[in-house]
């Protein structure tokens, strides 16, 4: 929804029709050992979960987080965006949807695993970013989920984002 409200609309009302992007397949096709990279980020963890199903009943969302590092008193979700060049700055603009996806997964990890998430990691081919899970980020996500619910209730096609980088990429 953060990437493009129109894209979210089509996913909801076309019963989840989606397509796998290049970035989703690239790491596997190129033989990248993501598990090894993640183990390096999860030093000292009691356990590392991979493609773990998470949910938040309070938000009404669910999904599969790429990785979760489990420690005695907290968890660290890891979202992999291997083909994207992500920076802290880009997370506030063109990659804002990555940030909100990671926040959503982090909140769902807290609820599913009944633990605390202090920060999460976005892993890319260029390195990783550690982002604190702040009350402001949580509040922003709650507002976005509310907007998505309103779109679903009204069944009104939202305006596209009118961004050539996104629109040329989109299958809709």
């Amino acid at each position: 929804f953060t990437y493009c409200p129109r894209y979210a609309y089509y996913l909801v009302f076309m019963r989840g029709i989606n397509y796998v992007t290049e970035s989703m397949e690239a790491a596997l096709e190129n033989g990248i050992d993501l598990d090894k990279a993640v183990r390096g980020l999860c030093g000292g963890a009691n356990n590392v979960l991979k493609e773990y199903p998470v949910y938040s009943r309070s938000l009404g969302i669910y999904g599969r987080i790429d990785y979760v590092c489990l420690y005695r008193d907290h968890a660290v979700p890891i979202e992999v965006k291997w083909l994207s060049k992500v920076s802290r700055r880009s997370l506030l603009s063109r990659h804002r949807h990555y940030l909100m996806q990671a926040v959503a997964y982090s909140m769902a990890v807290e609820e599913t695993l009944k633990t605390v998430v202090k920060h999460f990691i976005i892993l890319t081919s260029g390195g990783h970013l550690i982002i604190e899970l702040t009350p402001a980020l949580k509040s922003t996500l709650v507002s976005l989920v509310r907007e998505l619910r309103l779109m679903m209730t009204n069944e009104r096609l939202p305006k596209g984002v009118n961004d050539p980088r996104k629109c040329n990429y989109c299958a809709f």
Side-chain angles (χ1 to χ4, degrees), residues 43-125:
N46 298 335
N47 195 7
V48 178
L49 306 175
K50 181 178 180 180
E51 295 179 22
Y52 195 78
V54 293
Y55 62 89
S56 170
R57 289 191 204 285
S58 61
L59 293 172
I61 61 173
Y62 64 92
R64 285 187 176 274
I65 180 71
D66 293 329
Y67 294 91
V68 182
C69 308
L70 296 176
Y71 298 88
R72 185 179 54 78
D73 61 347
H74 70 284
V76 178
I78 298 178
E79 181 61 20
V80 178
K81 299 296 182 193
W82 199 254
L83 285 185
S84 298
K85 294 181 181 175
V86 180
S87 67
R88 289 188 183 280
R89 185 175 177 185
S90 75
L91 288 175
L92 300 176
S93 56
R94 74 180 183 274
H95 291 129
R96 183 171 176 253
H97 56 291
Y98 291 170
L99 177 63
M100 289 297 107
Q101 179 184 17
V103 171
Y105 280 140
S106 296
M107 291 173 71
V109 163
E110 286 183 322
E111 199 168 320
T112 303
L113 299 176
K114 312 251 186 291
T115 189
V116 174
V117 172
K118 300 172 188 174
H119 65 272
F120 54 88
I121 297 173
I122 297 177
L123 176 62
T124 72
S125 59

Side-chain angles (χ1 to χ4, degrees), residues 3-30:
Y3 183 74
C4 175
R6 183 168 282 198
Y7 180 76
Y9 176 90
Y10 285 122
L11 288 177
V12 168
F13 292 106
M14 293 178 73
R15 304 286 183 237
I17 295 172
N18 201 353
Y19 60 96
V20 177
T21 66
E22 277 183 46
S23 4
M24 293 174 188
E25 301 247 341
L28 296 174
E29 289 176 2
N30 293 324

